[in-house]
Amino acid sequence: MKNIRKRLNISISVTLISLTFISCNEKKTVKNTQVEKSKSEEKFGLSEDKRKELFKETVSADDKANAFQRAKQDSVLNLKLDKTQLKKEYHLIEIQSDELMKKYKTEVTKKYNITEEQEKQISFEGLEKNWPLE
C-alpha cells in the first residue's frame, strides 16, 4: 500500500510539474507572438496606427494643395486671358501648388520625425493596404 501511495504521489508530482512547464511555455509562446506582432507592425519607429495617421495627414496635404491649385485656376479662367497668358498663369499656379505641397509634407515628416523617403514608403504601404484616406 505504501508503494502504491508513493508511486501515486510521484505520478501526481510529475504531472503537476509537466502541467506547470506546459503552462509556462504557452505563456512564453503567447508573449513572444505578441512581441513579434508588435515588432512586425513597427516601421521607422512608428506603429501601424501611427503610420495610418501619417498617411491620412499626407492625403490631406495633397488635397489641400490640389484644392488651392483648382481654386487659383478657376479664378484665372474668369480673367479671360489669351492662351499664352493662360499657360503662364497656370504654370505659376502649378509652381505655387508644388511649393505648398512640399511645405505641407515637410510639416508631416517633421511631426513624425521621418524622412521624405520614409513618408513615400508609408504612403505606398497605405495605398497597397487600402488604408482609409480620411
Side-chain angles (χ1 to χ4, degrees):
M1 187 78 154
K2 261 188 172 181
N3 275 344
I4 294 174
R5 215 182 258 163
K6 216 177 201 181
R7 279 192 226 153
L8 189 58
N9 282 340
I10 289 172
S11 178
I12 290 171
S13 295
V14 169
T15 303
L16 288 174
I17 290 169
S18 295
L19 289 173
T20 302
F21 179 75
I22 290 169
S23 176
C24 287
N25 279 344
E26 285 175 357
K27 287 178 184 174
K28 285 180 184 175
T29 303
V30 169
K31 189 174 184 180
N32 287 343
T33 303
Q34 289 170 340
V35 168
E36 287 171 16
K37 186 177 180 185
S38 68
K39 281 183 183 177
S40 70
E41 289 180 356
E42 195 160 299
K43 291 181 186 172
F44 315 118
L46 301 171
S47 67
E48 187 169 311
D49 287 341
K50 283 290 181 193
R51 293 194 314 277
K52 285 180 179 180
E53 281 179 33
L54 183 147
F55 177 70
K56 286 180 185 179
E57 289 182 36
T58 301
V59 170
S60 176
D62 287 339
D63 289 346
K64 282 195 273 186
N66 289 331
F68 165 83
Q69 186 173 10
R70 280 190 306 275
K72 283 289 200 177
Q73 287 171 341
D74 288 346
S75 68
V76 167
L77 278 177
N78 293 332
L79 298 176
K80 302 195 193 285
L81 302 172
D82 66 41
K83 279 187 177 181
T84 306
Q85 291 173 317
L86 191 60
K87 277 185 175 182
K88 281 182 183 179
E89 288 298 318
Y90 268 42
H91 181 69
L92 290 174
I93 292 168
E94 187 175 348
I95 291 170
Q96 291 173 333
S97 178
D98 288 346
E99 288 173 358
L100 205 53
M101 179 84 71
K102 286 178 190 173
K103 176 186 171 220
Y104 293 149
K105 286 196 177 186
T106 298
E107 289 171 1
V108 173
T109 57
K110 282 183 180 180
K111 177 180 177 182
Y112 289 93
N113 197 28
I114 60 168
T115 65
E116 283 182 41
E117 182 58 34
Q118 291 169 332
E119 180 272 324
K120 287 178 186 176
Q121 290 178 21
I122 293 169
S123 292
F124 181 76
E125 178 186 17
L127 293 171
E128 191 175 58
K129 293 182 177 179
N130 293 318
W131 288 345
L133 300 175
E134 296 177 18

